[in-house]
Amino acid sequence: MLEEVERWLSTRSWSATERPLHRILAAKQRTGQTVSVVLPALNEEATVGDIVSVIRHDLMRQVPLVDELVVVDSGSADRTSEVAAAAGARVVHRDGILPRLPAVPGKGEVLWRSLLVTRGDIVCFVDADLRDFSSDFVSGIVGPLLTEPDVDLVKAMYDRPLAGATGQGGRVTELMARPLLNMHWPQLAGFVQPLGGEYAARRSLLEQLPFPVGYGVELGMLVDALHLAGLDALAQVDVGVRKHRHQDGQALGRMAAAIYRTAQLRLARGHLIRPSLTQFERGEDGFEPRTYSVDTEERPPMVDIAEYQVRKAA
């Protein structure tokens, strides 16, 4: 590990317990910064309501840490929107944001569009499939942004149990993202959960970043933030244990392909390699190929979008 990374681990890796809520609130009141929480959601009616309820109870009613809580529904076929609204979130539908640009499928697309429907100086993203959710996932990663003026982006780190075994989750992280980062961006080797969906950042950083539209958004954002802001502007906070719905092996393969493609684009903006992935499923006549396109599209920095410029000027 680079000496720079060892130093970073000792100065930019914290536990949520190191910043009690009263200290975070005092910093928020002193600086006057506002906080938005965004939940990107697709068919998450089983979990999104509980997450919204916990955030509203702990961080909006009991203490005024979160100023707005938005669920962006990316086309759910279940009752995700109704459940989220009943729990107290403002629900916005992806296709209703920036309608002049037809939406494409993908998590990164939703996160990018969310910048147009939120106003917080700090934007906190939380996946909508978490179980046994704790509000520490929000306060823990927002805290450093309120108390440390030179920190611009904070990732959550946590244990990810799989089938009861500690530390076995995050298979795409261990098999794809971590080797890529260690080999090509060794300054980022200290991140425990580089692909985690729980992170917070200053709007002033997010609006300058391109957003890969699919599963590559987390890796792309981390790499681009490193180049734009530097390692010391990045941090991570231990928030405990993350429990969520796990994907099957083939879905993980598609995620890995998108993440590799995101890395490849950042390594060389040259000619395109074949942006597709073929997987196999057993059918009546043996193994049958299924070919999927790999996300290659990226949205430009939000600060370049005319509608966003108008809103900022208003």
Side-chain angles (χ1 to χ4, degrees):
M1 183 177 292
L2 296 177
E3 183 177 337
E4 180 183 9
V5 176
E6 292 181 354
R7 177 193 55 77
W8 179 85
L9 281 169
S10 66
T11 61
R12 286 291 185 266
S13 293
W14 298 295
S15 167
T17 59
E18 293 182 53
R19 287 177 180 79
L21 204 49
H22 67 84
R23 180 184 167 196
I24 298 172
L25 284 171
K28 184 177 189 289
Q29 293 166 358
R30 183 175 65 254
T31 61
Q33 297 177 90
T34 53
V35 177
S36 300
V37 175
V38 173
L39 275 67
L42 177 63
N43 298 327
E44 301 295 356
E45 66 175 0
T47 50
V48 68
D50 289 341
I51 298 172
V52 169
S53 295
V54 169
I55 294 173
R56 280 186 56 80
H57 177 269
D58 292 0
L59 303 179
M60 298 180 82
R61 293 196 187 110
Q62 286 199 331
V63 297
L65 178 63
V66 173
D67 298 284
E68 65 176 345
L69 175 55
V70 179
V71 171
V72 183
D73 190 329
S74 59
S76 296
D78 65 3
R79 298 182 61 254
T80 291
S81 291
E82 293 86 346
V83 170
R90 175 162 66 95
V91 177
V92 182
H93 293 273
R94 176 200 62 195
D95 294 353
I97 307 171
L98 201 61
R100 72 173 176 84
L101 290 180
V104 297
K107 178 183 179 183
E109 177 82 352
V110 176
L111 300 184
W112 182 73
R113 289 176 185 259
S114 76
L115 296 181
L116 262 169
V117 293
T118 56
R119 291 193 172 274
D121 302 306
I122 294 168
V123 183
C124 176
F125 299 118
V126 176
D127 281 350
D129 65 342
L130 303 188
R131 296 183 288 108
D132 300 332
F133 178 77
S134 166
S135 59
D136 286 347
F137 273 71
V138 173
S139 58
I141 57 179
V142 166
L145 294 165
L146 291 169
T147 61
E148 309 290 335
D150 53 349
V151 170
D152 290 334
L153 184 148
V154 182
K155 297 278 294 188
M157 57 177 168
Y158 32 66
D159 292 320
R160 296 183 67 180
L162 176 64
T166 302
Q168 296 303 305
R171 290 161 288 173
V172 176
T173 293
E174 300 303 329
L175 296 175
M176 175 60 71
R178 201 177 306 286
L180 280 172
L181 292 175
N182 275 263
M183 287 187 288
H184 299 296
W185 296 281
Q187 286 178 295
L188 298 174
F191 277 94
V192 176
Q193 297 291 352
L195 300 185
E198 292 68 47
Y199 47 99
R202 300 191 192 280
R203 178 177 294 273
S204 57
L205 173 65
L206 292 172
E207 66 186 13
Q208 297 181 70
L209 299 177
F211 276 60
V213 298
Y215 284 119
V217 63
E218 274 84 23
L219 183 134
M221 187 178 296
L222 205 55
V223 170
D224 293 340
L226 172 68
H227 289 297
L228 188 64
L231 182 59
D232 283 340
L234 314 180
Q236 60 185 350
V237 173
D238 187 348
V239 296
V241 179
R242 184 186 197 270
K243 299 179 182 179
H244 66 112
R245 172 174 44 81
H246 291 282
Q247 304 277 1
D248 63 33
Q250 292 207 333
L252 295 179
R254 296 190 290 274
M255 291 172 62
I259 289 161
Y260 177 78
R261 178 62 179 146
T262 299
Q264 191 271 341
L265 283 172
R266 280 152 179 78
L267 287 168
R269 299 277 180 176
H271 66 280
L272 296 180
I273 58 174
R274 181 171 175 263
S276 61
L277 173 73
T278 299
Q279 297 178 319
F280 293 88
E281 298 177 9
R282 184 181 289 280
E284 293 182 0
D285 298 320
F287 285 102
E288 300 174 355
R290 299 284 188 272
T291 299
Y292 301 88
S293 61
V294 174
D295 298 316
T296 59
E297 187 170 355
E298 297 196 3
R299 293 302 191 184
M302 185 58 77
V303 74
D304 293 339
I305 300 299
E307 289 88 339
Y308 189 79
Q309 294 172 4
V310 169
R311 201 199 70 170
K312 282 194 73 175

